[in-house]
Amino acid sequence: MLVLVSGELAVVRRAVPEDLTEVNAMHARCTTASLVQRYRAPRDGIRPAEWARLTAPSAGASWVTAPLEEPGRVIGLSHLMHTGGDGVRELGLLVEDDWQRRGLGMSLAQYAVLHGARTGCRSVTVLTAADNRAMETIARRLGASPPHRVCTDVEFSIAVAGRSGGPADAVRDERGGTGAVLGVDVETVGAAPL
């Protein structure tokens, strides 16, 4: 359960193959600007084969987020995927436009990093467009090292070792407000909404 800075409650759960229709409905509700910030190209959704790979436990972890009062509506999508590097995973986030600037992206990023810490990850990378200020703010607030430029993108590295999380871990949104991740139990998140 996430408490957003606006006071709304959202539920995070492990993504499953059956979520693809609603995930793509969320993509349709996102602006082109948000999709380009996430994928560095406009996209109208995720293909079934790609979604099967993103939801395969061997590839990493993917989560969908829904408002507590609308559990069938996906408003956020987050991934912490294996990279092939020993102990290194890559973070990906997409938040529906109407839910941006409420601390949801920061909360989902913190949730993913805590999951990484509990599952043997040493560092999390974030590859994003150089002008993606929201993702840059999230990475910096999570303690990322100075970014490495990769053409028109930047790559942040977030050290994970030594992090721990428990109920009501405070998080900061891009305006400096605080929200909370309540009852973080990343070991059971796949079973049912928390």
Side-chain angles (χ1 to χ4, degrees):
M1 183 88 60
L2 302 178
V3 180
L4 305 183
V5 295
S6 53
E8 291 133 324
L9 299 176
V11 177
V12 180
R13 66 170 172 80
R14 189 66 72 106
V16 296
E18 294 78 18
D19 290 321
L20 180 58
T21 299
E22 185 50 40
V23 164
N24 281 338
M26 181 192 74
H27 279 71
R29 293 189 300 267
C30 289
T31 62
T32 300
S34 287
L35 295 171
V36 168
Q37 288 289 340
R38 168 60 181 99
Y39 300 110
R40 294 181 297 290
R43 293 187 66 165
D44 59 359
I46 297 176
R47 295 179 309 280
E50 182 182 14
W51 185 245
R53 189 176 67 251
L54 288 169
T55 56
S58 61
S62 293
W63 300 274
V64 292
T65 303
L68 182 62
E69 63 279 353
E70 292 182 79
R73 179 182 178 178
V74 173
I75 60 169
L77 179 62
S78 48
H79 310 284
L80 191 64
M81 308 307 291
H82 296 289
T83 64
D86 185 32
V88 179
R89 303 208 184 126
E90 184 174 2
L91 174 67
L93 298 173
L94 178 63
V95 174
E96 185 178 326
D97 291 71
D98 288 346
W99 288 85
Q100 292 176 11
R101 289 170 289 288
R102 301 185 197 195
L104 181 56
M106 183 67 213
S107 294
L108 294 178
Q110 182 189 44
Y111 187 88
V113 169
L114 290 174
H115 173 80
R118 293 180 180 180
T119 57
C121 177
R122 289 184 300 105
S123 67
V124 170
T125 63
V126 177
L127 182 65
T128 190
D131 65 348
N132 187 342
R133 298 292 172 239
M135 198 65 202
E136 178 183 351
T137 298
I138 288 170
R140 290 187 189 282
R141 291 221 168 114
L142 288 171
S145 60
H148 169 71
R149 185 167 285 281
V150 182
C151 296
T152 60
D153 297 332
V154 291
E155 183 176 40
F156 293 92
S157 181
I158 302 163
V160 174
R163 290 185 190 242
S164 63
D169 285 327
V171 296
R172 294 202 164 274
D173 77 349
E174 55 274 8
R175 295 166 301 176
T178 58
V181 179
L182 297 179
V184 175
D185 184 353
V186 294
E187 302 305 320
T188 61
V189 72
L194 296 173

